Amino acid sequence: MTDQLAEERLPEPRQPLPQTERTPLIAGNWKMHLDHLQAIALVQKLSWGLKDARHDYADAEVAVFPPFTDLRSVQTLLAADKLSLVLGAQDVSPHESGAYTGDVSAAMLAKLDVRYVLTGHSERRGGHGEDDETVAAKSLAAHRAGMVPMICVGETAEDLEAHGAAAIPLAQLAAAIAPLPADAEFVVAYEPVWAIGSGQAATAEQAEEVARALRESLRDLRGDEVAAATRILYGGSVASQNVAGFLRQPNVDGALVGGASLRADEFSRIVQFRKHVTAA
């Protein structure tokens, strides 16, 4: 797919989309960190901090994506203490069941009250060789089990130089949602691969440029209503010091946070981005 891409110009803005309220989503991807006891401690500390800050979860949704071994412990804590945090999974098998050693099915995750599932994360694409077909199959599996795929798209520095801004993310998004039915809910997370873990985030303007292109592409692929309602997140070295700049952008509806989500106090500050936006 990507070998055939030519350099693309970003689409020009068209008529305004329908006015749709998109609740911001702040998602913490823990990656391969924390055992189940550490996970419980982190969620408790995060929840207490947000409670002290009087965070309104209707104003900004908060999700955590622990490793598979932590999901049951975190789910039990969320249910027992009636916490408003939402549970996400970092991966899912494209298969419903069978002889797939090491895989975890969508049905298994749904039984744990998982709401969101990451698909297409750059670390799965790069480190595990997952192609667009696999990402699409995993996204469909999550949808069929009643969960929302959080489809990650993004380019490497080499992709950016070879194909231009947004070309790779647009192609990845089109491929990932192709098998999803028209009424399927999904979230898009734009993660410039060159920014992940580098400590050097994209600028807010760069994130907005690609997010706008993704939304314009959704208009062509799914129509104005879906484009207006779909949340597009930015991911890549997000911190409390820069999150406000991203969330000020009209097409950026939240953040996919990596390392900073492992520190309850820092992640809490990111969740409270509106205070920074108002103060700035």
Side-chain angles (χ1 to χ4, degrees):
M1 179 272 299
T2 55
D3 291 340
Q4 300 174 355
L5 285 172
E7 183 169 345
E8 295 185 14
R9 295 182 62 186
L10 294 175
E12 294 298 322
R14 293 180 280 186
Q15 292 299 315
L17 287 167
Q19 291 294 318
T20 302
E21 184 68 24
R22 297 189 296 268
T23 302
L25 171 58
I26 308 298
N29 176 18
W30 297 358
K31 306 189 180 185
M32 198 174 70
H33 296 286
L34 308 183
D35 61 33
H36 71 288
L37 297 176
Q38 294 169 322
I40 290 171
L42 178 58
V43 169
Q44 287 176 326
K45 187 175 181 181
L46 174 62
S47 180
W48 293 335
L50 292 174
K51 182 178 180 181
D52 289 343
R54 295 184 173 87
H55 177 68
D56 182 357
Y57 289 89
D59 191 48
E61 188 178 10
V62 185
V64 292
F65 290 72
F68 282 141
T69 56
D70 300 354
L71 286 174
R72 175 56 173 163
S73 297
V74 174
Q75 182 252 342
T76 300
L77 174 63
L78 297 182
D81 290 1
K82 296 181 172 58
L83 304 182
S84 297
L85 297 170
V86 179
L87 192 58
Q90 296 179 20
D91 191 22
V92 65
S93 175
H95 308 289
E96 290 186 8
S97 62
Y100 302 104
T101 301
D103 276 18
V104 176
S105 75
M108 294 172 182
L109 297 176
K111 284 290 186 181
L112 290 174
D113 298 330
V114 167
R115 169 66 174 160
Y116 297 104
V117 179
L118 291 178
T119 63
H121 193 281
S122 61
E123 291 163 0
R124 300 296 308 180
R125 293 180 187 267
H128 296 267
E130 295 189 2
D131 58 14
D132 288 337
E133 183 179 0
T134 300
V135 175
K138 289 185 174 188
S139 299
L140 181 60
H143 165 74
R144 284 177 170 169
M147 298 176 294
V148 178
M150 184 176 290
I151 302 167
C152 301
V153 299
E155 75 285 346
T156 64
E158 292 77 12
D159 290 333
L160 187 64
E161 181 177 353
H163 305 297
I168 296 295
L170 291 178
Q172 290 174 336
L173 177 61
I177 68 174
L180 296 179
D183 61 348
E185 180 183 356
F186 55 90
V187 175
V188 181
Y190 166 58
E191 44 165 23
V193 181
W194 48 267
I196 297 174
S198 68
Q200 181 62 49
T203 67
E205 292 73 23
Q206 287 173 318
E208 168 61 16
E209 183 179 49
V210 177
R212 178 178 65 80
L214 290 167
R215 199 174 303 284
E216 290 295 327
S217 180
L218 284 174
R219 297 180 79 170
D220 296 328
L221 296 169
R222 292 292 166 119
D224 285 5
E225 289 189 7
V226 171
T230 299
R231 290 178 290 183
I232 300 175
L233 315 185
Y234 168 76
S237 297
V238 176
S240 59
Q241 292 86 356
N242 62 22
V243 66
F246 293 115
L247 271 295
R248 284 195 193 95
Q249 306 304 315
N251 288 293
V252 179
D253 308 307
L256 179 57
V257 185
S261 69
L262 297 171
R263 305 191 302 275
D265 53 350
E266 171 67 357
F267 192 49
S268 177
R269 286 191 290 268
I270 292 172
V271 170
Q272 298 172 66
F273 69 90
R274 289 196 189 277
K275 295 180 180 179
H276 308 301
V277 171
T278 302

